[in-house]
Amino acid sequence: MENKIRDIGKLAMAYLADVAVASIVLEQSFEFLFNVWMLPKGWRKGHGRNRHDKIGKDLCP
């Protein structure tokens, strides 16, 4: 669960930029959540860290 929260935070920073949470209007938050829901199901799982000999790659939001 911690990884999912961290990934949503990274996506929010990339999507909404570095703004205060209080300055985000309701429509912006709904638009962000809609875009997150439209991500492919396996989006987070393409990092390649499932092998013991691979470092993997950092996925850009």
Side-chain angles (χ1 to χ4, degrees), residues 4 8-11 14 17 19-20 26-27 29 31 33 36 38-40 43-44 46 52 56 58 61:
K4 289 182 180 182
I8 291 294
K10 287 179 185 178
L11 284 173
V19 298
L26 190 62
E27 289 79 19
S29 63
E31 186 178 328
L33 287 175
V36 170
M38 291 297 117
L39 284 173
W43 173 79
R44 231 177 110 258
H52 60 82
D58 191 24

Side-chain angles (χ1 to χ4, degrees), residues 30-54:
F30 283 147
E31 186 178 328
F32 168 69
L33 287 175
F34 179 76
N35 286 326
V36 170
W37 287 327
M38 291 297 117
L39 284 173
K41 184 177 180 180
W43 173 79
R44 231 177 110 258
K45 299 177 181 180
H47 51 70
R49 291 189 199 107
N50 53 356
R51 303 289 300 187
H52 60 82
D53 60 345
K54 293 178 90 177

